[in-house]
Amino acid sequence: DAKTTQPPSMDCAEGRAANLPCNHSTISGNEYVYWYRQIHSQGPQYIIHGLKNNETNEMASLIITEDRKSSTLILPHATLRDTAVYYCIVIKAKTSYDKVIFGPGTSLSVIP
Amino acid sequence: GAVVSQHPSWVICKSGTSVKIECRSLDFQATTMFWYRQFPKQSLMLMATSNEGSKATYEQGVEKDKFLINHASLTLSTLTVTSAHPEDSSFYICSEMGLAGLSSYNEQFFGPGTRLTVL
């Protein structure tokens, strides 16, 4: 089973911030939170990842709660091209690897 | 990030034939490769995990004799769907995982996927 839970779908108005939540209450200390997205009929695309601290890159920001049991992916100014399924997954650090199980993700629809 | 390619991007075949899908890492030495299958409107389902030079580990319910995986080198993995049937029609995606340089975390990079249609 997936180690994360996400809402099945969300809508966001174009130009507004999209905030996608993820629960990972059983996350271990050596597991990172990764976010990927999948546009229809394409392979998943890496967005961002983090361990404890909040992270930001050119695509998005990742806010991780202090207890690390949940996180939020923020797309600051959503565009129509951001319509996709967003997956939140946890992956162990380099000392070992674990098979990566995808949950159903969140289907984000950006509305004009 | 690393670039992963898949070939072919789509294939149509007759029932009973075998189809080979290649997954190549173009600029990354992948220690671990994963193969996923995705049916319409569903999430990615992990089929198998393989390490270079060793046999693949298949997920429960995935027939290892039907889905042959070869991970002969750090840059190439192949998935062969043997005696394909219409129910094998799906979107097959490979991914590669390895250490991102001197970083302390594993990176997973996905291929663009291969659409298999079995008539």
Side-chain angles (χ1 to χ4, degrees):
Chain A
D1 292 339
K3 297 181 180 179
T4 64
T5 56
Q6 300 174 249
S9 64
M10 292 181 65
D11 291 340
C12 177
E14 187 179 17
R16 303 297 293 271
N19 298 287
L20 292 88
C22 178
N23 286 321
H24 31 80
S25 58
T26 61
I27 191 170
S28 301
N30 65 347
E31 288 181 320
Y32 287 77
V33 179
Y34 279 72
W35 282 83
Y36 287 83
R37 73 179 182 185
Q38 186 179 27
I39 297 171
H40 182 62
S41 293
Q42 296 182 24
Q45 174 192 22
Y46 166 83
I47 301 174
I48 198 168
H49 75 279
L51 182 63
K52 297 180 182 178
N53 300 320
N54 298 336
E55 303 288 344
T56 296
N57 62 21
E58 64 279 3
M59 290 183 67
S61 294
L62 174 61
I63 309 297
I64 302 174
T65 58
E66 192 169 344
D67 63 7
R68 302 211 321 126
K69 292 185 177 182
S70 66
S71 60
T72 301
L73 177 75
I74 302 173
L75 307 178
H77 304 287
T79 70
L80 298 180
R81 289 179 296 179
D82 293 321
T83 292
V85 178
Y86 288 76
Y87 298 101
C88 167
I89 58 178
V90 295
I91 302 176
K92 288 184 180 178
K94 72 173 180 178
T95 54
S96 65
Y97 78 90
D98 196 7
K99 57 186 179 182
V100 179
I101 305 298
F102 281 78
T106 296
S107 178
L108 175 68
S109 296
V110 180
I111 302 169
Chain B
V3 177
V4 178
S5 69
Q6 280 185 241
H7 178 80
S9 56
W10 59 270
V11 57
I12 301 173
C13 69
K14 293 181 179 180
S15 183
T17 61
S18 294
V19 176
K20 179 185 285 188
I21 302 170
E22 292 186 348
C23 176
R24 291 184 183 274
S25 173
L26 301 181
D27 58 356
F28 190 80
Q29 290 193 328
T31 56
T32 305
M33 290 186 174
F34 301 94
W35 284 95
Y36 294 85
R37 179 168 54 180
Q38 186 175 34
F39 294 108
K41 298 189 184 299
Q42 295 186 22
S43 185
L44 286 75
M45 183 180 73
L46 181 65
M47 298 176 67
T49 304
S50 70
N51 290 307
E52 185 262 340
S54 63
K55 290 184 179 180
T57 301
Y58 290 81
E59 293 300 300
Q60 190 174 9
V62 178
E63 300 175 57
K64 62 179 181 179
D65 294 329
K66 180 171 182 61
F67 299 99
L68 302 179
I69 292 172
N70 184 281
H71 189 161
S73 74
L74 288 172
T75 59
L76 174 64
S77 175
T78 60
L79 167 68
T80 301
V81 183
T82 62
S83 187
H85 291 285
E87 58 266 29
D88 298 323
S89 297
S90 187
F91 192 51
Y92 292 87
I93 304 169
C94 70
S95 73
E96 301 179 337
M97 181 177 283
L99 292 177
L102 298 178
S103 65
S104 61
Y105 53 86
N106 287 311
E107 288 271 11
Q108 188 179 32
F109 303 98
F110 289 86
T114 296
R115 176 75 58 192
L116 171 63
T117 301
V118 184
L119 302 176

